[in-house]
Amino acid sequence: MRNLALFAFLLGTASPAAAQPPTLDALLREFSALPGLEARFVEEKRIALLAVPLRSEGRIYFSGHRLMRRVTSPEESSALIADGQLTMRSGERVEQLSISSNPVLRGFVESFRAVLAGDREVLERFYQTELTPTDEGWELLLRPRNADLRRFLRSIRMRGSGVTIHEMRMVEVSGDETRTEFFDVNTERHFSDSEASRIFRIR
């Protein structure tokens, strides 16, 4: 029996205790322990007035409370969340917005950032949460609490396994839907000081 247990451990097979359905607290604790994250994403936005969805590709980076999203196709753009500010660049145009002074903007921002940071207090300040076990891992449903946010957003669903988020779907009140898939997810990403200063800045 001991050899069988050791063999299962080496293969990464879940023990009966590890196979228990995840709880939101346990899942967010795992996220809070992440050193950093890097992933490639492919996003499709379906808009009712357009016959073909808008598609974009790029990479995301997360470290501490900093989140950088860089779109590489079809046109380059970037968005950085850091120090209570959202800074966006498209072409030569750079715009900066205060997150803390805009509850609707902060609600959108915290839907993803608070999960990666494992910050349940902030997540549940803006959303009703429902975590459901799936065959592959888990699905997290977020419904906005704030009345202003509810005028724009119906729900956000995240699907993942462990601390890897595979997909996020955002459904707006208008019926428009954004589906983001994540690939090559590195949840053990460590950023050196030089890397961090290069990656987590708008240029």
Side-chain angles (χ1 to χ4, degrees):
M1 290 295 292
R2 182 177 180 182
N3 290 338
L4 181 61
L6 177 60
F7 183 64
F9 174 77
L10 292 174
L11 289 180
T13 304
S15 66
Q20 295 298 312
T23 65
L24 184 59
D25 278 334
L27 181 63
L28 292 179
R29 275 198 301 271
E30 290 186 53
F31 273 109
S32 69
L34 290 183
L37 178 145
E38 179 179 352
R40 180 171 64 88
F41 71 85
V42 175
E43 184 170 281
E44 285 191 348
K45 184 173 179 65
R46 297 183 180 274
I47 300 175
L49 297 177
L50 298 179
V52 179
L54 301 176
R55 180 186 172 94
S56 59
E57 299 182 25
R59 301 193 76 82
I60 64 165
Y61 306 87
F62 177 78
S63 177
H65 291 275
R66 297 174 297 180
L67 178 63
M68 169 60 81
R69 170 188 159 103
R70 294 194 184 277
V71 175
T72 56
S73 174
E75 296 181 356
E76 290 190 4
S77 65
S78 56
L80 172 65
I81 299 166
D83 302 321
Q85 302 286 326
L86 169 63
T87 308
M88 298 173 289
R89 181 187 65 80
S90 181
E92 297 300 317
R93 180 181 179 185
V94 177
E95 185 177 5
Q96 190 171 61
L97 300 171
S98 171
I99 296 172
S100 58
S101 62
N102 189 325
V104 174
L105 175 60
R106 188 176 181 193
F108 275 110
V109 166
E110 296 298 0
S111 63
F112 191 58
R113 191 213 63 82
V115 171
L116 292 179
D119 194 335
R120 180 166 186 166
E121 179 183 353
V122 170
L123 184 66
E124 293 195 328
R125 186 183 307 164
F126 294 95
Y127 293 94
Q128 295 175 339
T129 61
E130 181 181 335
L131 184 69
T132 304
T134 67
D135 291 340
E136 296 79 19
W138 51 265
E139 181 178 275
L140 178 61
L141 172 63
L142 305 178
R143 292 192 179 94
R145 295 181 185 273
N146 182 280
D148 292 330
L149 189 55
R150 286 201 302 268
R151 288 205 293 265
F152 298 97
L153 180 64
R154 184 174 300 163
S155 66
I156 295 174
R157 289 181 185 271
M158 298 181 195
R159 181 177 58 82
S161 57
V163 289
T164 299
I165 299 176
H166 301 302
E167 180 186 81
M168 182 170 71
R169 288 178 180 263
M170 182 175 69
V171 180
E172 299 175 33
V173 172
S174 64
D176 295 347
E177 180 176 331
T178 302
R179 177 173 178 256
T180 308
E181 290 186 281
F182 300 97
F183 304 92
D184 307 325
V185 181
N186 180 358
T187 58
E188 293 294 329
R189 183 69 160 90
H190 292 264
F191 298 94
S192 67
D193 291 342
S194 60
E195 278 185 314
S197 63
R198 173 175 54 84
I199 291 172
F200 295 98
R201 69 184 178 95
I202 295 294
R203 62 181 188 275

